[in-house]
């Protein structure tokens, strides 16, 4: 009796796992606190209403996938001259690569760059963007009279939430 029950239990577990795997995923994990748009799901048969589950804290329909610093960007906003050390009079660019969970979707978002030195904000810029598939957005900071030498940081924000950052240095001299 026990020998015949074991194969049946294994078969049932495999069938359950296969059914679970075929369900569509709502979004990809992007590591942010931005709630994701959810896909309607079939409610289980029950006599009492099920509580509404909050979206997963890290689920989002769009994400920042790469951040690169440099002294120049091309027409598609990709860094063409990567750098982490700059002269005081350089324009510092940060290229932000984004991706959406659904390449066909157009997702309105706010993308930002916060530039700091010694914990103090030097410059902040926020853009209202529409993210679709893979894309690049560039931000820049410049000071014709020259940045003070030292360590700086640029923090990238997606919908107001910090998602990635990069540190860089402005070297003394010209």
């Amino acid at each position: 009796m026990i020998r015949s029950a074991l194969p049946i239990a294994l078969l049932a577990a495999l069938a359950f796992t296969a059914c679970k795997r075929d369900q569509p995923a709502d979004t990809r994990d992007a590591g942010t606190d931005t709630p994701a748009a959810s896909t309607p799901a079939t409610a289980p048969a029950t006599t009492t209403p099920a509580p509404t589950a909050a979206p997963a804290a890290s689920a989002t329909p769009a994400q920042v996938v790469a951040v690169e610093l440099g002294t120049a960007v091309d027409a598609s906003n990709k860094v063409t001259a990567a750098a982490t050390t700059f002269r005081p009079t350089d324009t510092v660019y940060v290229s932000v690569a984004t991706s959406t969970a659904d390449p066909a979707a157009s997702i309105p978002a706010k993308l930002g760059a916060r530039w700091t030195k010694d914990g103090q904000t030097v410059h902040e810029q926020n853009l209202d963007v529409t993210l679709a598939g893979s894309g690049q957005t560039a931000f820049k900071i410049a000071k014709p009279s020259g940045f003070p030498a030292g360590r700086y940081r640029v923090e990238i924000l997606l919908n107001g939430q910090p998602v990635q950052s990069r540190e860089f240095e402005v070297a003394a001299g010209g």
Side-chain angles (χ1 to χ4, degrees):
M1 176 83 173
I2 293 176
R3 281 189 168 176
S4 64
L6 183 60
I8 292 171
L10 286 174
L11 186 57
L14 281 173
F16 178 73
T17 303
C19 289
K20 201 103 165 112
R21 184 182 41 179
D22 291 336
Q23 293 177 351
D26 289 343
T27 59
R28 278 192 254 176
D29 181 2
T32 67
D33 292 332
T34 306
S38 62
T39 304
T42 305
T46 177
T47 56
T48 58
T52 305
S58 63
T60 185
Q63 62 183 342
V64 171
V65 293
V67 174
E68 188 173 14
L69 289 164
T71 57
V73 293
D74 63 17
S76 63
N77 292 322
K78 292 181 181 177
V79 167
T80 57
T84 56
T85 302
F86 299 87
R87 295 180 306 212
T89 56
D90 282 345
T91 297
V92 181
Y93 291 88
V94 62
S95 177
V96 181
T98 54
S99 177
T100 59
D102 177 359
S106 292
I107 300 169
K110 187 173 289 287
L111 197 58
R114 181 181 302 139
W115 307 82
T116 60
K117 180 180 187 306
D118 300 326
Q120 299 296 314
T121 300
V122 174
H123 181 68
E124 187 167 351
Q125 183 178 6
N126 291 293
L127 299 173
D128 289 316
V129 296
T130 300
L131 303 176
S134 297
Q136 299 280 140
T137 305
F139 295 92
K140 67 180 181 178
I141 187 171
K143 187 172 183 181
S145 61
F147 289 106
R151 303 279 312 153
Y152 290 77
R153 175 184 177 106
V154 61
E155 187 172 47
I156 304 304
L157 301 106
L158 179 59
N159 295 323
Q161 299 298 313
V163 290
Q164 289 197 33
S165 64
R166 295 292 178 270
E167 292 190 3
F168 62 99
E169 183 175 353
V170 172

